[in-house]
Amino acid sequence: MTLTASAPATATRPVITAWSAVSPFGTGKDEFVAGVLAGKDTRAPLDPEQWAGPEDHACVVPGFALREVLGKKGTRSMDRVTGLAVTAVRDLLRDCGQRRTARDEETALVLGTTTGSAQSMMDFTRASLVGERPFYVDPSLMPNAVMNCAAGQCAIWHSLKGPNTTIAGGRVAGLSALSYAGGLLGSGRAAAVLCGAAEEFSDARAWLDHHRRGADRAGALLGEGCAMFMLERADPAGPDDRVLAEVLAVQSRVYFGEDLREALAACAEEVLRRGGVDRGQVWAVSASGPAGPLGEQEREVLTARFGAQALERAPALAAIGDTAAASAAFQIASLLSAAERSAAPAGGVALVSSVDDNGVVACAALRLPVN
């Protein structure tokens, strides 16, 4: 089974014109760029009065208190993943400023996730089980238990009236969202798309991960955050100095069992073919690096095809922990950071590889920078 998204060579491909990030490096794009390029370690001890998970350390967004970041209005019952997404979208729209060309009615939003907020789902379910009656629950918490709550709240907070979509895809969710956003632009359903992925740290997620992980993932720290990108159509009339990257193609495949080598190799080759580039044009390769054998296999396949130097040009993201659904979006952000601060060759291609242990691999090819 394969899922693909790419524009024909004669069509205008989508381009990234702005981005933002809320990450364990801090709130804001500048904090992410500085942190990822410096390889800053974000692991920190957890406050036992706030957290009750199985681990005593994690990579959380420092100082992220909803009411302090977004204000008191409308945040009383907001959960953490929604707050992360709303904040990232706020920062993205602020960064675009007067350079934003699409109206609110023409602007779509696509957000990748794993399940939404596992904490909200469990809290709501628990209230139904332990209450005097199953229906004695706080109704204000119900929206948070729905997977598309974060995307909907982003649209409400920022008056975005175009298509609003949530993509549940685990670690590959960021690339799945990128693929879907390209489809919205290509079909004319939107003039611009805010596209990205979010994942929260919570006690519920920590315990779920603790019980499902194997021995090879022991000691892996969880991270959180949200990265968002402004996706628009390139101006065919001439160069656009807003363009940070051109999305050449997105491709995904499934694998069975514990060996992903064949599926990932085919996925990487196909995304380059659909993007109209060859291996020699690949400047940097970002590997998702899941813990254990899957991460080793991923690096083996990518090194064999693109060389160790290409992988070294992409900043490592181990310092922000396992950000799950947000990981692929952070990979794109790290490549944009590297291209901004280093001597990336004109027209060089960056490849993003994402591996999920549920049996999905995905790759995206980006041209950095376009101009």
Side-chain angles (χ1 to χ4, degrees):
M1 174 183 177
T2 62
L3 300 174
T4 65
S6 62
T10 56
T12 300
R13 291 187 172 110
V15 294
I16 297 172
T17 56
W19 64 280
S20 67
V22 180
S23 72
F25 293 126
T27 300
K29 170 186 170 182
D30 293 341
E31 285 73 11
F32 182 88
V33 173
V36 76
L37 295 183
K40 178 183 175 183
D41 188 359
T42 65
R43 71 182 67 195
L46 296 172
D47 182 355
E49 295 186 2
Q50 180 180 4
W51 307 105
E55 309 293 340
D56 57 5
H57 283 70
C59 302
V60 297
V61 179
F64 190 79
L66 285 175
R67 292 198 164 194
E68 294 179 10
V69 175
L70 296 172
K72 295 181 179 180
K73 185 178 180 180
T75 56
R76 184 181 69 84
S77 59
M78 181 180 286
D79 61 15
R80 193 171 180 87
V81 70
T82 300
L84 292 169
V86 169
T87 303
V89 172
R90 178 201 66 184
D91 292 349
L92 177 56
L93 294 175
R94 284 180 178 175
D95 183 59
C96 291
Q98 298 300 318
R99 294 179 288 113
R100 182 183 171 197
T101 58
R103 295 175 294 136
D104 291 342
E105 293 78 7
E106 302 172 319
T107 304
L109 187 139
V110 183
L111 185 68
T113 182
T114 301
T115 59
S117 172
Q119 188 68 53
S120 295
M121 294 177 184
M122 288 192 172
D123 287 347
F124 192 79
T125 301
R126 183 179 185 277
S128 180
L129 294 173
V130 303
E132 186 177 347
R133 294 286 188 272
F135 48 84
Y136 285 179
V137 294
D138 183 350
S140 68
L141 299 180
M142 178 58 197
N144 294 335
V146 180
M147 187 175 64
N148 63 349
C149 175
Q153 284 295 310
C154 287
I156 292 169
W157 270 70
H158 302 295
S159 303
L160 305 176
K161 301 174 184 178
N164 188 273
T165 307
T166 299
I167 304 290
R171 293 181 66 86
V172 305
L175 298 189
S176 298
L178 187 66
S179 172
Y180 193 96
L184 289 176
L185 288 175
S187 64
R189 296 292 304 279
V193 184
L194 305 187
C195 165
E199 189 73 73
E200 69 176 8
F201 177 81
S202 66
D203 294 339
R205 180 185 165 216
W207 280 110
L208 286 170
D209 185 80
H210 174 77
H211 287 297
R212 73 182 292 270
R213 73 174 62 165
D216 56 324
R217 295 180 61 196
L221 295 182
L222 296 183
E224 65 172 357
C226 178
M228 297 296 299
F229 309 92
M230 177 69 79
L231 214 64
E232 300 179 81
R233 300 188 193 94
D235 183 3
D240 189 338
D241 58 8
R242 298 177 304 146
V243 173
L244 304 176
E246 179 184 11
V247 182
L248 301 178
V250 182
Q251 175 85 8
S252 67
R253 291 184 178 237
V254 299
Y255 66 94
F256 302 95
E258 302 297 326
D259 195 328
L260 59 80
R261 294 180 182 89
E262 183 178 348
L264 179 58
C267 190
E269 292 297 331
E270 184 66 8
V271 79
L272 294 183
R273 187 188 70 80
R274 288 181 174 273
V277 296
D278 56 44
R279 294 188 195 178
Q281 294 174 273
V282 176
W283 169 71
V285 177
S286 176
S288 58
L294 291 181
E296 296 170 4
Q297 292 176 32
E298 179 190 34
R299 192 164 190 88
E300 174 187 327
V301 170
L302 297 175
T303 301
R305 276 155 179 76
F306 304 105
Q309 192 173 23
L311 273 75
E312 292 169 359
R313 292 191 184 107
L317 290 171
I320 61 173
D322 180 1
T323 53
S327 61
F330 281 137
Q331 287 176 254
I332 296 174
S334 73
L335 289 168
L336 294 175
S337 301
E340 177 183 327
R341 297 291 179 88
S342 65
V349 174
L351 185 135
V352 179
S353 166
S354 184
V355 173
D356 191 285
D357 61 7
N358 284 328
V360 184
V361 298
C363 294
L366 311 174
R367 196 183 300 278
L368 312 166
V370 175
N371 300 315

